[in-house]
């Protein structure tokens, strides 16, 4: 058995800060979207999000990189005072490590944000593999990020349990042949009704159901 964790919304409860950052940046660029509309686009790489909303070719690659970085800098500054692992996760990671369960990070976040989280919280040592935005060509719901994480850990996909907060992430896990645990920080249970690879829903990592995993 191995664990693969998504990061934003799964290890840290920060999606409201990402939503605020994107809402302000996108509407500054003329998107004219409501927060709920912005929320529906919040998956995959930053550049993919911009292209979904404005269309391919609307911005140059350099412009998209600049806008994405500006949004992330705003998010990081706003979230830093609140940066902490979701309740129960420090103990859960420690127990998993003590049980010699291989662990990886499989996220759509770029290195800038991955480093921000792992290094500020000093949790990098828990993960034997880190797969982020720069490491994949296809984003969730494509299974590439999770399959690469499994390969890096040296384990079979079917032995992996993915921890996710988003429907697209659970779909990616299903496409990889992996089971999933869903943490309901950003989405409700009903938004996952179409997926049959979910073994548990949790509000945080203090949920007793997780004791069976470690």
């Amino acid at each position: 058995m191995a664990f693969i964790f998504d990061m934003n919304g799964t290890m840290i409860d920060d999606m409201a800060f990402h939503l605020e950052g994107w809402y302000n940046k996108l509407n500054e660029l003329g998107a004219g979207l409501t927060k709920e509309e912005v929320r529906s686009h919040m998956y995959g790489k930053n550049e993919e999000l911009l292209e979904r909303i404005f269309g391919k070719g609307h911005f140059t690659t350099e412009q998209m990189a600049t806008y994405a970085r500006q949004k992330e800098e705003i998010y990081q500054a706003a979230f830093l005072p609140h940066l902490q692992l979701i309740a129960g996760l420090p103990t859960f990671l420690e127990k998993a490590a003590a049980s010699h369960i291989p662990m990886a990070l499989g996220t759509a976040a770029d290195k800038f944000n991955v480093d921000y989280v792992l290094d500020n919280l000093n949790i990098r040592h828990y993960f034997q593999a880190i797969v982020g935005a720069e490491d994949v060509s296809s984003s969730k719901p494509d299974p590439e990020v999770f399959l690469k994480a499994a390969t890096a850990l040296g384990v079979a996909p079917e032995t992996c349990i993915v921890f996710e907060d988003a429907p697209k992430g659970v779909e990616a896990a299903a496409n990889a042949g992996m089971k999933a645990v869903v943490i309901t920080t950003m989405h409700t249970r009903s938004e996952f009704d179409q997926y049959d690879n979910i073994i548990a829903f949790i509000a945080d990592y203090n949920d007793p159901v997780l004791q069976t995993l470690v």
Side-chain angles (χ1 to χ4, degrees), residues 32-139:
L33 298 175
T34 65
K35 280 193 177 179
E36 191 57 32
E37 288 170 332
V38 172
R39 178 178 176 270
S40 71
H41 287 288
M42 284 175 53
Y43 61 91
K45 301 178 183 180
N46 288 338
E47 292 77 11
E48 293 170 343
L49 184 152
L50 288 166
E51 288 181 339
R52 272 196 298 274
I53 292 171
F54 293 100
K56 287 185 180 292
H58 186 84
F59 299 122
T60 66
T61 301
E62 292 75 17
Q63 284 176 315
M64 288 194 291
T66 296
Y67 298 147
R69 183 62 173 244
Q70 288 171 346
K71 175 264 167 182
E72 301 303 1
E73 288 173 347
I74 293 168
Y75 148 76
Q76 287 190 6
F79 187 61
L80 187 58
H82 310 277
L83 178 57
Q84 62 182 347
L85 291 175
I86 288 173
L89 184 52
T91 300
F92 185 70
L93 289 173
E94 192 60 41
K95 284 184 177 179
S99 299
H100 306 292
I101 297 172
M103 290 186 282
L105 197 65
T107 175
D110 60 16
K111 189 175 186 299
F112 182 57
N113 271 348
V114 170
D115 291 346
Y116 165 78
V117 173
L118 298 188
D119 294 335
N120 275 303
L121 293 175
N122 192 29
I123 56 171
R124 188 180 294 273
H125 61 284
Y126 286 117
F127 302 102
Q128 289 80 58
I130 297 168
V131 183
E134 294 89 349
D135 303 309
V136 298
S137 55
S138 300
S139 294

Side-chain angles (χ1 to χ4, degrees), residues 18-26 38 46 49-50 71:
H18 281 289
L19 176 59
E20 191 68 24
W22 271 126
Y23 175 75
N24 291 328
K25 174 52 67 175
L26 291 171
V38 172
N46 288 338
L49 184 152
L50 288 166
K71 175 264 167 182

Side-chain angles (χ1 to χ4, degrees), residues 7-22:
M7 189 176 75
N8 303 105
T10 300
M11 298 183 65
I12 54 173
D13 191 3
D14 64 339
M15 294 310 292
F17 291 84
H18 281 289
L19 176 59
E20 191 68 24
W22 271 126

Side-chain angles (χ1 to χ4, degrees), residues 142-177:
D142 191 281
E144 183 182 4
V145 63
F146 294 142
L147 292 174
K148 282 194 168 181
T151 297
L153 290 177
V155 299
E158 60 270 20
T159 67
C160 296
I161 296 174
V162 171
F163 293 81
E164 263 286 356
D165 71 305
K168 293 291 184 183
V170 171
E171 185 175 342
N175 290 336

